[in-house]
Amino acid sequence: MSTNTRGGALIAALVLALAACRGEDKALAPAAGEANPWPQVAWPLAEDAALEQRITDLMATMTVEEKVGQLVQGDIASLTPEDVRKYRLGSILAGGNSDPGGRYDASPAQWLALADAFYEASMDTSQGGKAIPVIFGIDAVHGQSNIVGATLFPHNIGLGATRNPELLRRIGQITALETRATGMEWTFAPTVAVPQDDRWGRTYEGYSESPEVVARYAAAMVEGLQGKVGTPEFLDGRHVIASVKHFLGDGGTTNGKDQGDTGIGEAELVRLHAAGYPPAIAAGAQTAMASFNSVNGQKMHGHKAYLTDALKGRMNFGGFVVGDWNGHGQVQGCTNTDCPATINAGLDMAMASDSWKGFYETTLAAVKAGTISQARLDDAVRRILRVKFRLGLFEAGKPSARAVGGQFALLGAPEHRAVARQAVRQSLVLLKNAGGVLPLQPRQRILVAGDGANDVGKQAGGWTLNWQGTGTTRKDFPNADSIYEGIAQQAKAAGGEAILAVDGTYTQKPDVAVVVFGENPYAEFQGDLQTLLYKPGDDSDLQLIKRLKADGIPVVAVFLSGRPLWVNREINAADAFVAAWLPGSEGAGIADVLLRKADGSVQYDFTGKLSFSWPRTATQYANNVGQPGYDPLFPFGHGLSYADQGELAVLPEDSGVTGDEGAPGVFFARGDTGAGMTLRLEAGDGQGVSVTQVPHALNGDLLRVAGVDHLAQEDARRFTWSGKGEAVVALQSHTALDLQRESNGDVMLLTTLRVDAAPSGEAWLSVGCGTGCAARVPLAPTLAQLPAGQWTRVGVPLKCLAQAGADVARLDRPWSIGTAGSMTISVSRVMLGALNEAEATVACPDA
Ligand code: BGC
Ligand code: BGC
């Protein structure tokens, strides 16, 4: 029977009390006199006896194999409908880089056909088994953002600045409609993280550093996505199930390290990081996603006290808990393909993306061996089936036959885009407006400059058409306006003119310039930073602003970013400064606020308020509202309007950062090694030299290095192997690098290279991690296929190197290339990057 009723809560509380007496559950057993910090929440769905009976009847007919299948979710890049038919899996997902036919720009029709095929496989009983509809989850995290043509809302950080929960509800409704149109019934959203250190690469996925703001939004978004409990719209065909994530403490990791450890007292953990869960649960959120991070050293995927006792027990969460991408594999004693501990801790469905088959087999074995109890298995299955029944999936038919399935006109529909555009307008935060330069007259000559001016991919950020949101082009966004396009339309309509010049050059002097610049797209740990310096070592945007100012042109700076960054120099240089976050498809929302109407009156005033504090220096990482010693440059809640005095005294230009400012993940660039790395030339016997200058040679001419040009003078190195013996060129890291997260995801080791003379024999790319811990993959076949004399980015999936035996948790030699033959290659860059950034990919050797 359900444990989600009030009676259930009582029982849960009793069980807890008993456990506490036995001293089993320290985390949830407050010492005498201490209040339990976990709130009690009322699950809004009354127990439904008929529903429970249906589940009981169905489960009575299910084999243990079928039950285990329900617990497993595989990724569409790693399984076929045939696999679902055979293994009776409960769910599929499309990860950030997983698309029909492997095409990031697959059509909506292809997505829907894929959804139909998987659904039909799950309902096909011709080879035995019960018909239990599969549920299909996707990261519709700022609109149905994996699909070409969808409405792209601002990322959550921008929505935080709107302080408008009702708008969030509308956004949830639209996201649900567009998701259903393409065949999925589940989104992995909302993220209710409360990011505390803005270096975290997922800061933009959070609404705010303030738990109050996150709590106010959580219910509105869940209700928008799922419909309101108690109304006929709840979980109907126009809504999807939500997933509150990531439970728990994702925003509190030390140094903002993604998937790291959140060291925190329990009361603080609950007050800060759990704030979004009670309102989301009270709104009936059907799933919660376990987090990659650990809390006080214990990985959340194995944290029974929190997953089971706190979330399902004390907080009465009546949905099911899904894991994150192989997150179970990080639990102590587990691997991606074997982890009974996660199920025992309370995970109901594992996101065993590419590991589903092994995970299925070991879980089945664990049930048969009793390592996972029948009761735990049944509870997990019941929770999953309950959600499927509540969604009406058993009666729904295939995705294309449901309420809005195949209504592709919903994608980017004008009324949807209008809501997104409103969200953009309300998300903009004005930080400076010297001399009242804003709002601008539209009837003048406006120069629109900067590399964000006309780049929808850049303004949309990560989780857009692919995981990192990189490598897209204008045609991938049929229903969108770039920021320049928005300004141009309005200027033109008013008899003015907008001129696009990314580099800021012009022939006829403009009256004013709008410079749009900021962070390039990133997602998850790929966006983790060492400091809050904006673009370390590259001040081209500042120079652009200064150049225009020197020409006597007033400059309005529009800053695109996934977090507040230290940009004092840019703020000083510009007349006006707007924090625009990651606005999404509706770049025109910016013109709505920046430009006056043709008659000179204000169209829309600025109403956005900071939901994250803006740092005073680049080392003020974690200065959050309400903390002792709170001293930001612009406080939480700040944001000017047109009525305000917009002058700003000159800001100090000392960033506070000394020493290492290198970009993480770049091992070699501009002719130089990354921070903490040395370039080595070594012979087969391991003897070698460190390259401190070029040209340089090892053992006469065994292996030689010289400076060559790629994009700039001497920004690359040419290596020439003589063929007189084995030799390697390597990047040696002074401290061992932990690339476990990168190896779990689709991260590549990317080498930008040019083949000057193809290898005469075998050549390889390898990584090393101390004695007896190296892995190599053959490189010669790939190099042989590259056009000679042309620069190309060659990618080696880090997971291949892990499979080939490297301990990716401690790489001290993250890159090396060797051969015993003769060969000449030039290298200009070595870095970690995303799948779609490689032009040629080295295939994994068979495991
Ligand atoms: C992320 C989740 C996401 C999942 C599926 C994970 O790496 O942490 O937020 O929902 O992948 O793409
Ligand atoms: C997937 C993402 C996932 C990530 C986890 C990627 O390969 O596409 O969805 O979040 O791996 O590291």
Side-chain angles (χ1 to χ4, degrees):
M1 275 288 112
S2 163
T3 51
N4 308 317
T5 56
R6 275 207 205 92
L10 234 170
I11 294 169
L14 275 172
V15 169
L16 274 184
L18 274 173
C21 289
R22 293 197 299 266
E24 279 173 11
D25 203 335
K26 293 210 190 68
L28 279 192
E34 235 176 69
N36 186 332
W38 296 92
Q40 277 182 307
V41 185
W43 178 247
L45 298 169
E47 178 164 334
D48 177 342
L51 170 69
E52 296 303 322
Q53 190 56 50
R54 255 188 107 175
I55 300 172
T56 304
D57 293 346
L58 175 59
M59 282 177 64
T61 69
M62 286 169 75
T63 63
V64 63
E65 284 79 6
E66 286 172 301
K67 286 183 179 175
V68 169
Q70 288 299 307
L71 273 49
V72 183
Q73 180 184 56
D75 183 275
I76 58 161
S78 305
L79 94 176
T80 60
E82 205 38 59
D83 293 322
V84 166
R85 196 179 339 263
K86 177 162 173 211
Y87 290 90
R88 318 306 295 175
L89 301 188
S91 177
I92 57 168
L93 87 144
N97 283 333
S98 311
D99 311 272
R103 291 194 57 93
Y104 79 94
D105 57 353
S107 68
Q110 288 169 317
W111 279 100
L112 184 62
L114 183 91
D116 275 353
F118 276 103
Y119 165 84
E120 279 173 339
S122 71
M123 300 306 277
D124 180 357
T125 54
S126 61
Q127 294 163 28
K130 306 286 136 17
I132 301 177
V134 74
I135 34 173
F136 189 170
I138 192 163
D139 293 287
V141 294
H142 63 134
Q144 169 61 318
S145 49
N146 273 286
I147 278 84
V148 170
T151 307
L152 301 172
F153 295 94
H155 270 294
N156 288 349
I157 192 169
L159 299 183
T162 70
R163 298 294 203 281
N164 187 349
E166 278 316 303
L167 182 62
L168 274 271
R169 183 185 306 277
R170 216 28 220 125
I171 291 173
Q173 290 165 349
I174 293 169
T175 303
L177 276 174
E178 296 197 11
T179 301
R180 282 292 200 155
T182 50
M184 303 93 196
E185 53 278 296
W186 183 8
T187 174
F188 303 127
T191 297
V192 295
V194 186
Q196 297 294 289
D197 186 319
D198 298 348
R199 288 173 295 177
W200 187 32
R202 307 191 78 156
T203 300
Y204 67 81
E205 296 188 55
Y207 297 119
S208 176
E209 70 186 24
S210 152
E212 283 77 31
V213 173
V214 174
R216 276 174 61 205
Y217 278 15
M221 191 47 127
V222 168
E223 286 184 353
L225 290 167
Q226 298 193 154
K228 202 173 162 64
V229 176
T231 68
E233 64 170 25
F234 180 62
L235 300 183
D236 71 5
R238 306 169 69 86
H239 291 85
V240 295
I241 59 174
S243 196
V244 263
K245 72 186 190 185
H246 308 82
F247 190 81
L248 183 67
D250 48 356
T253 56
T254 308
N255 295 331
K257 184 179 192 273
D258 189 42
Q259 306 188 12
D261 182 53
T262 299
I264 195 170
E266 194 171 36
E268 242 343 63
L269 175 72
V270 174
R271 183 188 73 80
L272 261 182
H273 298 291
Y277 292 90
I281 293 168
Q286 294 294 300
T287 75
M289 187 185 289
S291 193
F292 273 124
N293 64 278
S294 52
V295 173
N296 298 320
Q298 191 177 343
K299 280 282 174 184
M300 281 308 306
H301 279 67
H303 210 307
K304 179 153 190 274
Y306 292 168
L307 292 183
T308 299
D309 305 341
L311 181 59
K312 296 174 177 174
R314 177 90 176 171
M315 293 201 284
N316 256 310
F317 169 63
F320 69 83
V321 179
V322 65
D324 203 342
W325 187 277
N326 282 330
H328 55 270
Q330 298 184 15
V331 174
Q332 221 193 348
C334 288
T335 64
N336 289 354
T337 51
D338 190 3
C339 193
T342 195
I343 304 294
N344 287 336
L347 200 87
D348 299 306
M349 180 186 283
M351 189 184 283
S353 41
D354 53 357
S355 51
W356 59 270
K357 193 185 278 179
F359 185 87
Y360 166 85
E361 281 158 2
T362 56
T363 304
L364 181 60
V367 169
K368 287 182 174 165
T371 320
I372 296 172
S373 70
Q374 193 64 47
R376 176 74 268 269
L377 174 69
D378 284 350
D379 171 54
V381 173
R382 184 173 282 276
R383 284 174 175 271
I384 293 165
L385 292 179
R386 230 185 241 130
V387 170
K388 292 184 175 182
F389 277 117
R390 283 183 191 132
L391 250 186
L393 270 195
F394 286 80
E395 294 79 35
K398 62 182 177 183
S400 62
R402 299 178 193 165
V404 296
Q407 291 188 22
F408 301 137
L410 289 169
L411 295 168
E415 59 277 23
H416 294 180
R417 294 187 58 191
V419 173
R421 185 159 163 174
Q422 177 192 355
V424 173
R425 289 193 295 265
Q426 297 187 351
S427 70
L428 304 175
V429 180
L430 180 62
L431 298 177
K432 178 180 180 181
N433 191 17
V437 59
L438 288 174
L440 303 173
Q441 285 295 350
R443 197 185 303 122
Q444 54 180 340
R445 183 188 308 278
I446 305 171
L447 183 75
V448 190
D451 67 4
N454 196 33
D455 186 339
V456 179
K458 179 159 174 149
Q459 76 195 33
W463 299 108
T464 302
L465 298 187
N466 59 54
W467 184 31
Q468 296 295 319
T470 49
T472 56
T473 64
R474 183 65 184 86
K475 70 165 178 15
D476 297 327
F477 302 102
N479 301 321
D481 283 311
S482 74
I483 295 170
Y484 157 73
E485 288 162 350
I487 295 174
Q489 286 152 14
Q490 295 188 22
K492 189 167 175 216
E497 180 190 13
I499 302 114
L500 173 69
V502 168
D503 65 1
T505 53
Y506 54 83
T507 41
Q508 207 179 337
K509 189 174 167 187
D511 299 310
V512 64
V514 176
V515 177
V516 189
F517 63 105
E519 290 189 293
N520 288 323
Y522 54 83
E524 300 192 49
F525 46 83
Q526 294 277 86
D528 285 359
L529 291 179
Q530 262 140 31
T531 75
L532 294 181
L533 261 190
Y534 167 60
K535 277 210 217 155
D538 173 356
D539 66 354
S540 51
D541 301 309
L542 176 63
Q543 296 312 331
L544 172 58
I545 298 172
K546 284 188 168 171
R547 182 153 51 79
L548 293 165
K549 282 294 292 178
D551 290 356
I553 303 164
V555 171
V556 175
V558 175
F559 186 54
L560 301 171
S561 74
R563 52 196 147 201
L565 289 170
W566 187 80
V567 280
N568 283 10
R569 293 171 304 176
E570 289 82 356
I571 296 175
N572 283 340
D575 296 284
F577 195 96
V578 178
W581 317 111
L582 299 168
S585 57
E586 304 318 309
I590 290 169
D592 290 346
V593 183
L594 260 46
L595 301 187
R596 295 174 187 267
K597 289 188 193 153
D599 68 7
S601 59
V602 170
Q603 290 193 71
Y604 293 95
D605 200 349
F606 281 92
T607 56
K609 303 291 173 206
L610 293 179
S611 62
F612 285 80
S613 308
W614 202 280
R616 192 172 281 288
T617 66
T619 59
Q620 203 184 48
Y621 313 125
N623 197 241
N624 298 307
V625 61
Q627 286 171 346
Y630 181 60
D631 182 32
L633 178 61
F634 300 116
F636 173 85
H638 178 73
L640 302 170
S641 72
Y642 283 141
D644 292 317
Q645 159 67 261
E647 309 297 324
L648 193 64
V650 177
L651 301 170
E653 298 203 347
D654 177 4
S655 70
V657 173
T658 47
D660 174 21
E661 299 179 0
V666 177
F667 301 159
F668 183 83
R670 296 193 203 99
D672 207 354
T673 57
M677 301 250 179
T678 307
L679 185 67
R680 301 265 308 156
L681 306 181
E682 289 178 3
D685 60 5
Q687 299 299 312
V689 292
S690 296
V691 180
T692 47
Q693 58 188 53
V694 286
H696 215 80
L698 171 70
N699 299 356
D701 67 350
L702 178 65
L703 173 57
R704 285 174 294 141
V705 55
V708 288
D709 302 349
H710 175 203
L711 301 173
Q713 198 178 359
E714 297 247 335
D715 64 342
R717 297 287 174 262
R718 183 176 59 224
F719 302 95
T720 307
W721 281 260
S722 64
K724 293 178 184 160
E726 183 176 318
V728 300
V729 48
L731 286 164
Q732 184 75 31
S733 175
H734 306 175
T735 49
L737 305 176
D738 179 356
L739 301 184
Q740 286 178 94
R741 300 173 308 174
E742 289 79 357
S743 309
N744 186 29
D746 280 335
V747 177
M748 297 252 176
L749 180 58
L750 293 172
T751 308
T752 307
L753 58 77
R754 184 182 68 192
V755 180
D756 299 318
S760 65
E762 265 179 38
W764 60 85
L765 184 141
S766 67
V767 295
C769 35
T771 340
C773 171
R776 52 166 74 170
V777 295
L779 200 56
T782 309
L783 295 183
Q785 279 170 26
L786 296 181
Q790 263 181 42
W791 290 96
T792 327
R793 270 191 308 271
V794 175
V796 177
L798 283 171
K799 59 178 153 201
C800 295
L801 294 162
Q803 276 160 25
D807 182 350
V808 291
R810 49 180 187 95
L811 292 183
D812 57 7
R813 179 163 285 206
W815 177 89
S816 106
I817 287 182
T819 181
S822 65
M823 128 172 123
T824 304
I825 56 172
S826 298
V827 175
S828 74
R829 200 174 170 87
V830 179
M831 62 179 285
L832 299 179
L835 188 68
N836 55 303
E837 288 169 62
E839 289 157 342
T841 302
V842 175
C844 281
D846 289 337

